[in-house]
Amino acid sequence: AYLHEWRIGPEKGAVTERRLSDVMMEFPVPCGSDGAFLALRVRSIEGPLLLHCSPETGVLLDGVVKFDGSGRQVATYDAEDGWWCVSEPTVCGKYATVMVSNVAKDVGSYGDGFDGMATKVVVLDLESLEKVAEQEAAKTGYG
């Protein structure tokens, strides 16, 4: 999805629409009283999304983007090469967290003996989206 703005003027019966950003994103999360929000950046979409065995077979979410209240992109976190965001951002005080997983292509699924992907929680500074910490987590599936 792209960030859009709709302005409704009921007195004249007018509605205007405009795209605020060319960044494709998903899972927006508010992160301040000024209208700012975080969202996951979409790198590519594969389909159909019938089986979610790995990010490569679904939607590749490769980072977190911060927008200010006007929809202007103000900060970005890029996941490391080969790592993909597998949870929406969570905001807590001055920090945000996102879970990322590393997976090779054609890893199979749980039914094929696949035992999960390496996963870690990344802690980001909410203002700059710079990584301040990371912690390995339990292996997970995708989707």
Side-chain angles (χ1 to χ4, degrees):
Y2 294 99
L3 182 61
H4 276 72
E5 174 185 70
W6 288 269
R7 291 196 176 208
I8 302 170
E11 65 281 347
K12 295 183 180 180
V15 177
T16 60
E17 173 188 4
R18 67 181 177 125
R19 185 188 294 186
L20 296 176
S21 173
D22 290 331
V23 176
M24 188 182 292
M25 68 188 103
E26 289 293 339
F27 309 110
V29 176
C31 67
S33 60
D34 61 352
F37 67 95
L38 304 176
L40 297 181
R41 183 181 54 222
V42 176
R43 176 171 165 193
S44 66
I45 301 173
E46 300 290 332
L49 299 177
L50 298 176
L51 295 174
H52 299 284
C53 13
S54 74
E56 278 87 0
T57 63
V59 178
L60 290 176
L61 305 166
D62 69 350
V64 178
V65 180
K66 181 178 180 180
F67 295 89
D68 66 12
S70 70
R72 186 175 57 92
Q73 183 176 329
V74 295
T76 303
Y77 161 74
D78 298 316
E80 298 170 38
D81 286 344
W83 289 82
W84 310 105
C85 300
V86 294
S87 73
E88 59 272 359
T90 301
V91 176
C92 184
K94 299 187 298 184
Y95 302 99
T97 63
V98 65
M99 290 186 71
V100 295
S101 287
N102 184 355
V103 62
K105 291 180 183 275
D106 302 321
V107 295
S109 64
Y110 280 105
D112 297 329
F114 173 62
D115 67 350
M117 296 178 262
T119 302
K120 56 187 174 183
V121 176
V122 177
V123 180
L124 306 171
D125 174 84
L126 189 56
E127 187 67 28
S128 65
L129 292 187
E130 290 182 25
K131 180 169 62 172
V132 295
E134 67 182 33
Q135 176 64 48
E136 287 187 28
K139 287 186 175 184
T140 64
Y142 178 77

